mmCIF file of all heavy atoms in Angstrom:
data_model
loop_
_atom_site.group_PDB
_atom_site.id
_atom_site.type_symbol
_atom_site.label_atom_id
_atom_site.label_comp_id
_atom_site.label_asym_id
_atom_site.label_seq_id
_atom_site.Cartn_x
_atom_site.Cartn_y
_atom_site.Cartn_z
ATOM 1 N N HIS V 54 107.099 74.152 40.490
ATOM 2 C CA HIS V 54 105.934 73.378 40.061
ATOM 3 C C HIS V 54 106.338 71.919 40.129
ATOM 4 O O HIS V 54 107.417 71.554 39.667
ATOM 5 C CB HIS V 54 105.548 73.751 38.633
ATOM 6 C CG HIS V 54 105.141 75.181 38.476
ATOM 7 N ND1 HIS V 54 104.035 75.716 39.101
ATOM 8 C CD2 HIS V 54 105.708 76.192 37.780
ATOM 9 C CE1 HIS V 54 103.930 77.003 38.789
ATOM 10 N NE2 HIS V 54 104.939 77.313 37.996
ATOM 11 N N TYR V 55 105.461 71.100 40.697
ATOM 12 C CA TYR V 55 105.827 69.714 40.924
ATOM 13 C C TYR V 55 104.634 68.819 40.628
ATOM 14 O O TYR V 55 103.521 69.092 41.097
ATOM 15 C CB TYR V 55 106.270 69.554 42.387
ATOM 16 C CG TYR V 55 106.439 68.141 42.868
ATOM 17 C CD1 TYR V 55 107.345 67.275 42.241
ATOM 18 C CD2 TYR V 55 105.718 67.667 43.957
ATOM 19 C CE1 TYR V 55 107.509 65.980 42.707
ATOM 20 C CE2 TYR V 55 105.879 66.373 44.431
ATOM 21 C CZ TYR V 55 106.767 65.532 43.797
ATOM 22 O OH TYR V 55 106.931 64.255 44.260
ATOM 23 N N ARG V 56 104.864 67.782 39.825
ATOM 24 C CA ARG V 56 103.831 66.759 39.612
ATOM 25 C C ARG V 56 104.461 65.402 39.802
ATOM 26 O O ARG V 56 105.429 65.063 39.112
ATOM 27 C CB ARG V 56 103.198 66.909 38.230
ATOM 28 C CG ARG V 56 102.024 67.930 38.263
ATOM 29 C CD ARG V 56 101.499 68.274 36.878
ATOM 30 N NE ARG V 56 101.240 67.083 36.081
ATOM 31 C CZ ARG V 56 101.735 66.882 34.845
ATOM 32 N NH1 ARG V 56 102.497 67.787 34.284
ATOM 33 N NH2 ARG V 56 101.444 65.765 34.187
ATOM 34 N N LYS V 57 103.913 64.662 40.746
ATOM 35 C CA LYS V 57 104.429 63.338 41.106
ATOM 36 C C LYS V 57 104.823 62.517 39.877
ATOM 37 O O LYS V 57 104.022 62.375 38.953
ATOM 38 C CB LYS V 57 103.354 62.543 41.877
ATOM 39 C CG LYS V 57 103.223 62.930 43.318
ATOM 40 C CD LYS V 57 102.702 61.782 44.171
ATOM 41 C CE LYS V 57 101.271 61.329 43.860
ATOM 42 N NZ LYS V 57 100.780 60.352 44.867
ATOM 43 N N TYR V 58 106.015 61.996 39.901
ATOM 44 C CA TYR V 58 106.547 61.133 38.834
ATOM 45 C C TYR V 58 106.807 61.885 37.531
ATOM 46 O O TYR V 58 107.411 61.342 36.620
ATOM 47 C CB TYR V 58 105.617 59.941 38.555
ATOM 48 C CG TYR V 58 105.521 58.953 39.698
ATOM 49 C CD1 TYR V 58 104.378 58.875 40.485
ATOM 50 C CD2 TYR V 58 106.586 58.081 39.980
ATOM 51 C CE1 TYR V 58 104.289 57.966 41.526
ATOM 52 C CE2 TYR V 58 106.499 57.166 41.021
ATOM 53 C CZ TYR V 58 105.355 57.105 41.799
ATOM 54 O OH TYR V 58 105.280 56.204 42.819
ATOM 55 N N LYS V 59 106.337 63.151 37.438
ATOM 56 C CA LYS V 59 106.428 63.857 36.159
ATOM 57 C C LYS V 59 107.553 64.893 36.130
ATOM 58 O O LYS V 59 107.873 65.410 35.069
ATOM 59 C CB LYS V 59 105.096 64.573 35.861
ATOM 60 C CG LYS V 59 103.894 63.656 35.760
ATOM 61 C CD LYS V 59 104.037 62.700 34.590
ATOM 62 C CE LYS V 59 102.805 61.796 34.535
ATOM 63 N NZ LYS V 59 102.924 60.763 33.475
ATOM 64 N N GLY V 60 108.090 65.204 37.281
ATOM 65 C CA GLY V 60 109.179 66.179 37.308
ATOM 66 C C GLY V 60 108.820 67.491 37.977
ATOM 67 O O GLY V 60 107.727 67.650 38.503
ATOM 68 N N PHE V 61 109.769 68.430 37.930
ATOM 69 C CA PHE V 61 109.575 69.705 38.612
ATOM 70 C C PHE V 61 110.405 70.770 37.920
ATOM 71 O O PHE V 61 111.341 70.463 37.174
ATOM 72 C CB PHE V 61 109.980 69.592 40.084
ATOM 73 C CG PHE V 61 111.349 68.989 40.285
ATOM 74 C CD1 PHE V 61 112.482 69.786 40.360
ATOM 75 C CD2 PHE V 61 111.492 67.604 40.367
ATOM 76 C CE1 PHE V 61 113.743 69.222 40.531
ATOM 77 C CE2 PHE V 61 112.766 67.035 40.533
ATOM 78 C CZ PHE V 61 113.882 67.834 40.617
ATOM 79 N N ILE V 62 110.047 72.024 38.156
ATOM 80 C CA ILE V 62 110.724 73.149 37.507
ATOM 81 C C ILE V 62 110.513 74.387 38.382
ATOM 82 O O ILE V 62 109.447 74.559 38.970
ATOM 83 C CB ILE V 62 110.170 73.372 36.074
ATOM 84 C CG1 ILE V 62 110.946 74.458 35.353
ATOM 85 C CG2 ILE V 62 108.686 73.648 36.103
ATOM 86 C CD1 ILE V 62 110.477 74.628 33.911
ATOM 87 N N LEU V 63 111.536 75.212 38.503
ATOM 88 C CA LEU V 63 111.430 76.412 39.338
ATOM 89 C C LEU V 63 110.380 77.370 38.809
ATOM 90 O O LEU V 63 110.243 77.533 37.593
ATOM 91 C CB LEU V 63 112.781 77.143 39.414
ATOM 92 C CG LEU V 63 113.916 76.485 40.214
ATOM 93 C CD1 LEU V 63 115.168 77.347 40.153
ATOM 94 C CD2 LEU V 63 113.524 76.222 41.667
ATOM 95 N N THR V 64 109.654 78.015 39.693
ATOM 96 C CA THR V 64 108.760 79.116 39.323
ATOM 97 C C THR V 64 109.596 80.389 39.181
ATOM 98 O O THR V 64 110.798 80.385 39.453
ATOM 99 C CB THR V 64 107.720 79.369 40.432
ATOM 100 O OG1 THR V 64 108.436 79.683 41.637
ATOM 101 C CG2 THR V 64 106.861 78.148 40.667
ATOM 102 N N ASP V 65 108.966 81.477 38.766
ATOM 103 C CA ASP V 65 109.675 82.763 38.696
ATOM 104 C C ASP V 65 110.223 83.121 40.071
ATOM 105 O O ASP V 65 111.365 83.574 40.212
ATOM 106 C CB ASP V 65 108.722 83.869 38.226
ATOM 107 C CG ASP V 65 108.435 83.751 36.736
ATOM 108 O OD1 ASP V 65 109.062 82.886 36.081
ATOM 109 O OD2 ASP V 65 107.586 84.503 36.227
ATOM 110 N N GLN V 66 109.386 82.891 41.069
ATOM 111 C CA GLN V 66 109.778 83.132 42.452
ATOM 112 C C GLN V 66 111.000 82.272 42.826
ATOM 113 O O GLN V 66 111.932 82.747 43.492
ATOM 114 C CB GLN V 66 108.574 82.793 43.359
ATOM 115 C CG GLN V 66 108.849 82.695 44.833
ATOM 116 C CD GLN V 66 109.250 84.038 45.429
ATOM 117 O OE1 GLN V 66 109.180 85.084 44.769
ATOM 118 N NE2 GLN V 66 109.704 84.004 46.667
#
Side-chain angles (χ1 to χ4, degrees):
Chain V
H54 298 297
Y55 169 59
R56 274 171 49 233
K57 281 207 295 189
Y58 293 107
K59 300 296 180 184
F61 50 91
I62 185 176
L63 289 179
T64 59
D65 286 354
Q66 168 66 8

